[in-house]
Structure formats: structure tokens, C-alpha cells
Amino acid sequence: MNLFLKGILLSSAAGMATSLGAIPFLLFRKGASEKFIDALLGMAAGIMLAASAFSLVAPSIELGGLLRFAIGFFLGAILVDLMDKYSPHEHFLKGHEGAELKRLSKIWLFVIAITIHNLPEGMAVGVSAFSDQALNIAFAIGAQNIPEGAAVAAALLNAGYSVKTSFWVAFLTGVVEIIGGILGSGIVSISRALLPYMMAFAGGAMIFVISDEVIPETHLRGNERLSTYFLIIGFFIMSALDVVLG
């Protein structure tokens, strides 16, 4: 199979997993407790962290050495930081940032936040299609997208959005990851020499998102210990899967 196409297919499969997490809320038509949301986000963070470390960071260093890894890793983190600073958005539950943002629709602010959060994940899957880590990364991103999709849908329902809107916004998370997969696969398909840079780039971007967006979100409502244990559970699950999947 063409590796570029493989990257798109894998990122599509991983991205669509967000809908699986949102489906229960489509059926039961109600939100969830803050503890439940924080636990889901904590588990997603743990899965992402393990996937970044074992399937992106380590292979990048092995393929390209420390210098190439450092260049890609810091560029990935810096790019997401710039996107976060200069794109108007709101975090999952924090609310608006700045008076000028109040003129924009809440739902579009939320969609922009999802774009910032999930684009690096799609890129990671697309890039990994050119390495031996393709299935590991796709499975990891898909696995963490299920609790993340559930958390997004639950948070929107709790904020007063309709069931349909909550589901489709969660679904858009998957669409964004497909776009990221196309970007990641497209860049590496230009030159295989870019693979270690791009794996490091995706790892840096994902770790920045975990630290700057996901973990702080789970520590806002007094559920720090619970979300931390679920992060550890998520990290263990992905570590075990990494061993099983080889």
C-alpha cells in the first residue's frame, strides 16, 4: 500500500474513534459529572504521553540521533505554543480568554480549541505510517480519542449545548486529525530524511498539549488525585499495548 495513503487511512480510523466516545451521550442525552470528565481526560493524557515517549521520541532518536530529535522536538512544541497564543479559543471548561473573544460564538471558539489540541495527533499518525510504529501510534491515538470524545461531548452537554451539537463537535475532532494525517504523511513523503524530524515534531507537539492543555484542565475542580491515577492507568495501558503490538 502507498505509505501516503496508509497515513491518511490510519489517521482517519484514529480520528473517527472520537465518535465512539460521544455515542453514549447521543443515546442517553445527558452530560456527566466533573469527576468523570477529569478521569477520562486524565486517561487520555496518560495514553498520549506513553505513545509520545515510546512510539515517537524513542524512534526519532534511534533514526536520526539527538540533534535531529532536538530540532524537531522543540519546533513541534513551539509551533503549538504559537497556535495557542495567537488563535482565539477557549479551553474545555475554562471559558473565554480576553474581552475581544466575547464577540465570537462559543461553539466556534471551542472548535478552534479542538483544532489546536488534535492537529498534532493526526500528524503523528500520518508521520508514523512511514515507520514501524504505524499501528502502535494509530491504536494509541484512537484509544485516547474514545475517552477524549466522551469528555468533549459531556462537557458540552453540561454547558447547555444540544445533544446533536455536542456529538458533531466531538466528531469534528476526528476530522481535524484526518487533516493532520494528510499534512504529516505529505511532508514525509517529500523526503524520507525528514522522518526523524517529523516524529520528534509530533512528539514535542503532543507533549506540549498534554502539559499545557489536558493536565491543567483536569486540575481545575479539585479532582487532581483522581485524574493523576487515571493518567497512570492510561500510561500503563499504552505501555502494555506497546509491548503486545511490538
Side-chain angles (χ1 to χ4, degrees):
M1 179 186 294
N2 180 280
L3 293 179
F4 176 73
L5 179 59
K6 180 181 178 182
I8 296 175
L9 291 176
L10 288 176
S11 62
S12 298
M16 291 302 98
T18 56
S19 301
L20 296 178
I23 284 174
F25 299 96
L26 186 65
L27 299 175
F28 298 115
R29 298 176 179 273
K30 62 181 181 179
S33 68
E34 291 179 346
K35 284 187 176 181
F36 181 70
I37 294 172
D38 288 340
L40 289 175
L41 290 175
M43 179 177 289
I47 294 172
M48 288 173 66
L49 193 59
S52 299
F54 301 137
S55 298
L56 290 171
V57 170
S60 172
I61 296 174
E62 183 178 346
L63 287 172
L66 192 58
L67 179 59
R68 291 181 177 85
F69 162 72
I71 293 172
F73 190 74
F74 286 108
L75 283 177
I78 291 170
L79 178 63
V80 176
D81 185 29
L82 292 174
M83 290 172 62
D84 185 77
K85 285 181 179 178
Y86 296 108
S87 297
H89 72 284
E90 63 180 24
H91 295 263
F92 281 105
L93 301 171
K94 287 179 184 176
H96 294 294
E97 296 181 350
E100 66 185 84
L101 301 182
K102 293 181 180 179
R103 297 195 302 268
L104 299 175
S105 166
K106 273 189 174 183
I107 188 64
W108 288 112
L109 290 174
F110 198 86
V111 169
I112 295 171
I114 291 173
T115 302
I116 294 171
H117 182 100
N118 290 284
L119 192 63
E121 296 178 11
M123 290 185 68
V125 179
V127 169
S128 69
F130 293 79
S131 72
D132 295 332
Q133 303 296 323
L135 291 179
N136 293 26
I137 287 290
F139 193 91
I141 299 300
Q144 71 88 29
N145 275 341
I146 295 174
E148 187 177 86
V152 170
L156 284 171
L157 285 170
N158 288 350
Y161 291 103
S162 69
V163 173
K164 287 184 178 180
T165 299
S166 301
F167 177 81
W168 284 112
V169 171
F171 176 81
L172 282 175
T173 303
V175 175
V176 169
E177 292 196 4
I178 297 171
I179 296 171
I182 294 172
L183 289 173
S185 293
I187 292 172
V188 178
S189 65
I190 295 172
S191 174
R192 297 293 181 86
L194 295 174
L195 182 58
Y197 292 102
M198 289 304 300
M199 294 186 79
F201 182 93
M206 285 177 61
I207 290 174
F208 186 94
V209 167
I210 295 166
S211 178
D212 187 65
E213 296 270 350
V214 183
I215 292 177
E217 191 67 47
T218 65
H219 288 203
L220 290 175
R221 294 163 293 279
N223 299 320
E224 298 92 339
R225 188 63 57 87
L226 175 69
S227 64
T228 297
Y229 273 112
F230 270 87
L231 184 149
I232 292 171
I233 291 170
F235 192 95
F236 169 78
I237 290 172
M238 189 58 230
S239 300
L241 288 173
D242 189 69
V243 173
V244 171
L245 294 174

